[in-house]
Every structure is written in C-alpha cells, then in structure tokens.
Amino acid sequence: MAIFYVIGTPIGNLEDITLRAIRIMKEVDLVLCEDTRMTRKLFDKYAIPTASMSYHAQSKLSKTDTILDMLAAGKNLALVSDAGTPGISDPGSMLVSKIRERFAPELAAGEMKIESIPGPSALTAALSIAGVPCSDFTFLGFLPHKKGRETLFKEMIASERTTVFYESPHRILKALESIAALSAEPAEKSYKDKELSPKRLTIARELTKMFEQIVSGTPAEVLAYFNAHPDKVRGEFVVIISA
Ligand code: SAM
C-alpha cells in the first residue's frame, strides 16, 4: 500500500522537526522538495540518506504524472516545502488534489493513504505569541501586489476578526504605510459605512531564528518603528491586524 506523506519542516530553527518527520523521511522511497538544496540542510543535520526530487509551483504536468505513476507502483513518497507546512502559501495542494482524484477508489478502500506529518507554520507560530484574539481568524496568505490590494487592507481594518497575511521584506513598508493611512481615516470615510474600531498591528519577524522579533502597537506606531529602524526591514514577516 503506497502512502503519500505531507511533512511540516522548520521555518528557521532546524531543531523544529518532529521525530516522526525524521523517521518518515528516512523510510520513504523519495522525498519531493520545493528546492532540493534547501532540504539538503535538513537531510545533512539528521543524516537522512533518502533520494530527493524537486517539485514546485513551476513543475511540469509530466512531473505530476511521474509522481502519480510512482504511487501506482506502490512507492512511498513524502512532500516537503522550503519551510513550514506544504500547501500553506507553498506548493502541495494541487498535487494532493491530483492524488485524491486519480486514486479515489484506492483511498476509499484503504489501499492507499495520504498522511499528514504536522509541523511548524509561520501562521500558527506568529499567532501563538502575538497575544491577539485568535479563536477564529482570516488568513490571506500573500496579498496581490496590485489589483485588489487596497480593498483587502480596507476589509481587514473594517473586520472584527483577526486577519493574518504573509509579506516580503520588499513590500512590508508599503503595506504598513497603507494600513496606517487607512486606519487614520475618519469614521465617515470608513469602509462600507462600518465604524472603524481602533486596530492593533502585530509584526512577527524572523520567527524561530536568531533575530526573532515581535513589534506591536497602533498601525502608526508600528510604521514609525520600522521607519526609524531600517535595519529591521529584512527577513521574513507575518502581519496580524486585530482588535
Ligand atoms: N509554508 C510556510 C508556512 O507554513 O508558514 C509559508 C511559506 S511562504 C512561501 C513564506 C512566507 O512565510 C514568508 O514570506 C513569510 O511571510 C512567512 N514566513 C516563513 N518563515 C517565517 C519566519 N521564520 N518568520 C516569519 N515569517 C515567516
């Protein structure tokens, strides 16, 4: 019976990997990696001798077919991304969907399995230490670069629900400027006639790494902090807007 494992891997600190993830990566026939050079660091640290093959957003359909054929032949495969949980703003979901489609009868009969080996995600790591309401929240992944971006910011500010998104160091200042500007608008200009309640902005930067940092305050305060500390406008960012 072939098993396809979807494995969460560290988002910075290589020690953030489960015992099960290491064992499974050693046992499978092949590990599919977003970037084999990134995953090599993990393989080297934990002496994982398994063969690897790249699988990423630009992978051709023929590669998906090869993977499906391997599963049909009974091979056990694992999927990892460069960091965190595959499928969360990372490749993986399409492949899992194709496997579910092609092997629906086998999966239903228990002759094949898709198993999650849970691990870190920047989303949950950030929320766990932000100290904001997160019994329910909206996650937007990466925002569009142009079309619809401002509308999304307005929606986040008007929303009563905590909103989380990922942002690159190239766009983080622009994002903070937009959020601060829109938050400062008077109530009569508020989005869809909603009163804008005061918002808290939390930036989780470089989680689990040496320069991990949380910056929290009003949108204007957070923007002022990053304008005053350009050396902190680097690395990886999770942005959280909350009540
Ligand atoms: N699959 C990953 C996950 O489960 O979190 C997300 C991959 S996505 C391509 C990469 C983005 O996640 C980064 O641009 C950043 O916004 C966020 N991210 C990843 N690692 C992070 C970290 N150590 N600290 C803060 N944000 C991080």
Side-chain angles (χ1 to χ4, degrees), residues 34 54-64 91:
E34 189 180 359
S54 73
Y55 178 82
H56 44 74
Q58 283 76 40
S59 286
K60 296 204 172 90
L61 272 179
S62 60
K63 194 166 250 183
T64 304

Side-chain angles (χ1 to χ4, degrees), residues 23-40:
R23 177 176 61 77
I24 297 293
M25 284 194 281
K26 286 182 175 172
E27 285 176 3
V28 291
D29 296 296
L30 182 70
V31 178
L32 305 169
C33 314
E34 189 180 359
D35 180 343
T36 51
R37 288 162 305 179
M38 284 292 289
T39 306
R40 173 72 26 217

Side-chain angles (χ1 to χ4, degrees), residues 9-13 34 81-91 120-124 126 139 142 165-169 204-209 235-239:
T9 57
I11 56 169
N13 188 324
E34 189 180 359
S81 62
D82 284 353
T85 300
I88 306 298
S89 297
D90 259 348
S121 176
L123 166 66
T124 48
F139 175 57
F142 287 106
F165 67 94
Y166 288 162
E167 192 52 281
S168 76
R205 189 175 82 88
E206 293 290 84
L207 289 162
T208 78
K209 302 185 201 177
E236 300 195 276
F237 296 86
V238 180
V239 182

Side-chain angles (χ1 to χ4, degrees), residues 204-223:
R205 189 175 82 88
E206 293 290 84
L207 289 162
T208 78
K209 302 185 201 177
M210 189 182 292
F211 298 108
E212 173 171 322
Q213 185 184 23
I214 292 279
V215 180
S216 176
T218 64
E221 286 167 348
V222 173
L223 174 63

